[in-house]
Each structure stands twice: as structure tokens, then as C-alpha cells.
Amino acid sequence: MAAALAASGVVVGMRQLTGEVRPRMDIDVLLTTQPDTFNLFLQALAALQGDPKLLGYYALAGIHGMPSTTWDDVGKRFGDNFYGYCAHGVLVFPTWHRPYLSLVEQTIYQKMVEIAGKYNPPHRQRYLDAAKLFRMPYLDYFRPRGGSVSFPGVGPGGQTTFPYNFTLPDILNEPKVALRVPPLDEIKYDNDNPLYNYKFSAAGGQLPQSDQNQVSRSFSMRQTVRWPQNVNSTTHNLQALSNSLNSGREGRTSHSLDLIHSRPYGNLSSVASDQLAQGDLTFFEKRDTLNGSGSLEGSLHGNYHNLIGGRGHMSTPTLAAFDPVFWFHHTQIDRVWALWQAFHPNEWFPRPPNASTLAENKKDLLPFYTARTGVGKGTFYNSDDSRTTEAFGYIYDDFVGVRPNDQAALRARVDAKYLWSSRTPTHPTITAPPEDMKPLPVRSTYFFSKRPASTPAAPAAAPGGVSARLSTAAASISHLASDAASAATTFSAAHFPALNLHAQHISPTFDREWYVDSVVKRAAANGPFTIYFFLCTHGELADGDTAGYAQSPFLAGINHIFAAPRELCDNCGDREAAGQLASDTTPVTPLLLDYLGVEGNGLESLRPEHVKGFLVKYLRWRVVFGNGEVQDPRDLARNADLHISVSAKIYHDDGTKTYETYPDVVEQIKANASATAGA
């Protein structure tokens, strides 16, 4: 029954399909600890990418943005006739994406079961069992993927060197992969990797010509590309991608932890979405334990769309979901939200202003059916239905072995996984990663195997040959990464030693973390745009190369507004009509710490008496629209309600933290950073 409902497009969730709640895990962990599951996953995704029907990849990705058609004839959220069922800049941002991911997850699973049934005995049952373990993997931005890496920074030669690389997982960067295919479980080389890109085609799905006309000047209509050199690029610029993900990563790591469990982010209305009502700048006026700048939607979701996509498909809402990395990115966003929910279990949507107004959490999350009575007809999920992950048949591996409501154990686990790689006043130096966060040997698995020179064109490797040994080797490395699905009872908080974060002596040189907060009109560019913040003199900023901004050694951080043009999205038009603002924060502490080692710049500590003057002298920002056009910061300030604030989180020896804002330097910073000042 559940399988038939799922095949009709109803979101039933993996619990109904498999009878189990199982953990989602990082994509590298899934690949190395469950190679049979991952093998089926790749085959299933490739098959769906060639299917243009209702539950094929093209149609499912099209729910998010283009094409200009409805999905299963379900009316649009705002009654529009344009692209996708936009849920950005609204409080239902996390609850809308949860059933969306579940719909894609269960569709992939059903295709995996179909493929598993094509194997001959004794392989068939092994693969059927492996399929049941599948849950959509997440992309942990803060898990190292390899050895040492150099990227632009203020170190010697304009480079910063770090002992670990935080770029995309290798499996997402590989155009071809090896697979073990039915019916004999033989290895087949040189398969197109469905995680590398999506190829638009008449057979698998291609945007109508009218839609292509809207975007073809800026984006390829042949395939998705990350960090393209130009619209004709067919391969990802992996160096630019690596640089963008490594540069500024340290600040994003610490801010992510703040979003999960720091007191200023304890309100759903502020953490879920980057929305602000017109003129609502209260957190600029009073930054304390009740107010936080930045959000799940803006600081992580929007910024990583840009960091991963560059000027590629991932950077714009109308096309982002066609890039396969979209699903792992959004699963990570759902994971962070699930962690936030665990620390704020009673926090939910605000009550409506009066009894006649339908509460936001009761509104339909279109087009996701809970029951379907015909094409476009039925009942739909609302946010209350999306409140828990268990309802959809999954948890995240962070929760495995942690007792319900044990926030102390959960925080110890999360902090231990991530604090090692960021500098804070209570953890002032980078340390070694815990065992469960060390890079995994993904390239030793058979997925990366190349055809041996002596191998004939037709794949004929015997089950007991080299590919089988590679498969066995992949399974044997589970001691490096916890296989939460099959060994859940072996986990305990003791596996994740807590860091001593309280009652430590705080150095007067480094006693606070600094932020540049920003608020801007969401529709300022009538589409996506990015504000880049730099710490440098105007002569050091290469304004002729806006594509290189994300790789500048002086980049402190970004604020990417992930919005669609009003002509393509009624929701975005409604946000514009309401004068909606978007807020974010840029953690500048890591770059300030790097500058502490550079003589002659006047920065002697991270105390206000040194940092405020440094920011006045060196803080710059540039605004770049999605097409690469640079906006004069003065015009943006006049026409787009751009506001800048400087704030700090102060650490105290007793373990408490307080917050300060520094409005006295903002006007000086703006004057010195303006174009008329040569900046």
C-alpha cells in the first residue's frame, strides 16, 4: 500500500516503505561504510535522470524552480503561473524542504529496490537488504575531505595553509565512476557519474524554449556546472570551488554552532528564515542574548548555494535543484535544523494575530501530498506534519545513542566534532580532529576504479576478482567511520569526549569574536546577488575581477541573497512589495587573527581599542549581481536599505558570554569604504 502511494507521488516517508527509522549520514560515510547501498544509489539516480515523468529527476527538481509548469497540476502556493513553489524568505523555509527531500528520498529508494531485483541470486537479497539502509546523505561542509590544502589568505605569498581540505567530497567531482551492475554483480567502468552534473536532454528532461530564453545568456542549457568559467563551460572549476569552500570556512563553522545552540538563536522566527519586516533593525540597536544576526536560511543555506555554485546553476533558485549537489546541501540544512530543534524542543511558529487568520504552521506546503485523490487533488502537508524527522523515517547520525532530551550529551558530541577546526577564546588554537572526523579513504573504494589497460571493452570482472576485493576493502574501513545504520546500539556519548568549555582563563588578547552584520532589501537586484566583505586597503582589492572575489586573500565573508527575479516568482514579488529585508552576519574573527601575525597594521589584539580602528581603516564591501555586474555600494545603501553593523561576542572566565555593538564606528567605516574614498 505504501509503495503504491509513493509511486503516485504521495510523500509517505521511508518509515512506511521500510518499516524502520534509520539515520542519514554524511555522503563520504555512506560511501565507505555501505558500498552496496551507495552502488544502488548511484544507479538509481542515473536512471531517474533519464526519466522525464512525474517522479523522474527533471520533474522533481523542477518543483523548486523552473520549468514554468505545475507539478502534477497542483496549484502554486501563491496562485501564480510562474516558476516553482518558492519557499524562500518565509518562515516555512525549513518545513517546506523537509517533505521535498523525503519525496526525492523515497523515489530514489523505490528505484533502488527495482534495480536490486535485477541481480541474480545470491546477490539479489544482499542488494535488497542494502536498499533498506538507504537514507539521503548529507553534505557536511565542515568535515575534512583530504590532506593539507593551500588557499588565498594573508599568509606568506598570499596563501593560507591548513592541514585539512574542506572541499566537496571527491565523489561529486568525478565525471566517471565504476559500478557493480546486475545481473552478476560485475564491475562496469566509465559510467557517467550522476552526482557530477545533470545533463538536460529531450529524453530525460529539457526546459521549454521560453524558459531557456530567460536564463540561457547566464547558464548552460546543456548541463549543470559549478564555478563555470563561462556559459559554455562543461566542467567544474575545482580549484575555484576548493578555494571558495576553504576560505572563510573557519568563521562559518563557529557561526553554525552558534545557530544550533547559542542563546541568541533560540527563536524560530529569527533562525529559520533570513526575513525581516521593513524597517525592523532592532538587533542593530540592541545586540544581546535575545537577538542574533544571521539565520539558517541566509548564513548557511544561501551562502553555500553561492560558495558551491559560483556563477553556476546552484547560485540561483530557478535552476539550483537540477545540480545533484543540491540534495545533499539541503539535507545538511535539514540536519542543522533538526539539531536546532533538539536544543529548542518547545519553540515553534508564532501564533496568528487573530482567530480569523490561518496560522503559518497550518498552511499547505504545496505540492507535497499526504493523500492524493486525483491529478492535483488531495490533502497536503503542513508545517506541523513536518515537525519531526522520525515521521519521515529517518534521524541523523548525531542522535544515534544519545538519550532523548539529553541536550548535554548532544552538545558534547556536536562540539567535539567541530570545535577542533576553529579558533575561539576558549579554544584558541587549531587542534587535531577527533577520530570520527578524519578524512575517509574514499578513493580506495571501487567507485573510483579505472579500467585496467588489459581489460577488454566489455566488462567481465568475476565476482571474486579485484573489484570484489575493493568492495571488501571498502566495507572493512568501518572502524574509521561509524556505521550508524547497522551498529546503532554501539554508540554512546563516551565516544565523543566533551571539550572543556567553561571556567577557562580568557586571554585579554583574544577575548571576543567579531562580526559584521548586514541587512539589505531582499529584492535589491531583482534576483540573486552577493555582498562580499573584505579587510584590505583599496589598492589591494582587484575590482576588475569580480569572479575572483570569493577567492581573494582578503575576503572576510559573504552575504548571498538567494532570490529569484520578480518576473519568475510571485513569492519573490510579494517579498519585494512588502519591502522585506534579509539579514546575515559575517564572522571576521579568523581573518583578524591572521592579521595579528602581520606587522605594522596596528592590530595588536582583538580588544575594541585595536579592532575598531582596524575596521575603520580596512573594512570594504562590494555588491555583485548574479550576472557579474558590480553595484556601487553607495547606490545600494541609498536604494536597497543596506545597513551595516559591527558587533562582538565577549567570553568571560566564568563561562558566560555577553554581546556588544559598536555603532560609533559605523559611519566612519562607511565613509572610508565608499567609492568616493577610493575604496
Side-chain angles (χ1 to χ4, degrees), residues 2-3 6 10-24 34 37 41 98-99 101-113 128-137 381 388-395:
V10 176
V11 182
V12 299
M14 295 294 286
R15 185 176 196 166
Q16 296 298 315
L17 290 172
T18 68
E20 299 173 322
V21 175
R22 287 192 173 273
R24 288 177 175 174
Q34 297 179 14
T37 302
F41 167 53
R98 185 164 280 176
L101 288 170
S102 187
L103 174 63
V104 174
E105 181 178 58
Q106 70 184 36
T107 303
I108 293 173
Y109 164 73
Q110 289 198 298
K111 182 60 69 173
M112 291 170 64
V113 171
L128 288 171
D129 292 341
K132 292 183 67 175
L133 300 180
F134 173 72
R135 299 296 184 271
M136 184 72 76
Y381 276 84
T388 71
T389 65
E390 289 87 346
F392 296 96
Y394 70 91
I395 60 172

Side-chain angles (χ1 to χ4, degrees), residues 242-462:
S242 175
N243 287 345
S244 68
L245 292 176
N246 281 285
S247 180
R249 188 275 320 157
E250 188 179 344
R252 293 191 294 270
T253 302
S254 59
H255 184 53
S256 296
L257 293 175
D258 283 344
L259 286 170
I260 290 170
H261 54 53
S262 182
R263 288 181 61 192
Y265 298 95
N267 186 290
L268 178 70
S269 297
S270 60
V271 80
S273 171
D274 61 5
Q275 67 168 346
L276 284 178
Q278 186 173 24
D280 183 6
L281 301 174
T282 53
F283 72 92
F284 272 10
E285 300 163 2
K286 185 181 180 183
R287 177 79 180 268
D288 57 24
T289 56
L290 300 179
N291 298 280
S293 182
S295 66
L296 177 68
E297 181 184 8
S299 303
L300 287 185
H301 163 260
N303 286 344
Y304 270 93
H305 266 286
N306 184 61
L307 291 166
I308 294 171
R311 291 182 188 165
H313 299 72
M314 265 289 284
S315 65
T316 181
T318 52
L319 296 171
F322 289 107
D323 189 327
V325 74
F326 172 92
W327 310 107
F328 317 124
H329 164 56
H330 265 280
T331 305
Q332 168 73 353
I333 296 299
D334 183 71
R335 173 188 175 228
V336 174
W337 186 48
L339 287 166
W340 181 90
Q341 288 182 288
F343 289 106
H344 309 88
N346 299 319
E347 182 61 26
W348 199 231
F349 285 77
R351 293 182 178 180
N354 53 67
S356 62
T357 302
L358 182 64
E360 284 294 311
N361 46 301
K362 299 296 183 182
K363 293 181 179 179
D364 287 344
L365 302 178
L366 303 178
F368 308 119
Y369 294 108
T370 56
R372 183 178 181 273
T373 57
V375 176
K377 299 177 182 179
T379 57
F380 300 91
Y381 276 84
N382 62 33
S383 293
D384 287 347
D385 300 322
S386 296
R387 188 164 186 172
T388 71
T389 65
E390 289 87 346
F392 296 96
Y394 70 91
I395 60 172
Y396 286 97
D397 51 3
D398 309 273
F399 297 92
V400 176
V402 175
R403 295 187 302 274
N405 304 318
D406 191 346
Q407 294 182 4
L410 184 61
R411 177 161 183 175
R413 173 175 293 188
V414 173
D415 285 350
K417 289 180 74 171
Y418 300 111
L419 280 181
W420 67 274
S421 63
S422 297
R423 292 166 290 180
T424 71
T426 53
H427 184 258
T429 59
I430 303 295
T431 53
E435 194 68 26
D436 66 312
M437 289 297 286
K438 291 181 178 178
L440 296 169
V442 294
R443 301 198 75 89
S444 69
T445 63
Y446 65 81
F447 302 106
F448 295 87
S449 301
K450 305 300 181 185
R451 185 189 305 278
S454 59
T455 301

Side-chain angles (χ1 to χ4, degrees), residues 565-583:
R566 69 181 74 87
E567 298 85 359
L568 307 185
C569 171
D570 269 10
N571 177 39
C572 297
D574 291 345
R575 302 306 103 201
E576 178 179 12
Q580 188 181 91
L581 305 174
S583 72

Side-chain angles (χ1 to χ4, degrees), residues 631-653:
Q631 172 74 43
D632 189 321
R634 294 171 299 168
D635 291 342
L636 194 74
R638 285 193 294 264
N639 303 326
D641 288 340
L642 173 64
H643 299 270
I644 302 295
S645 175
V646 175
S647 62
K649 177 170 62 175
I650 308 163
Y651 289 69
H652 303 281
D653 284 340

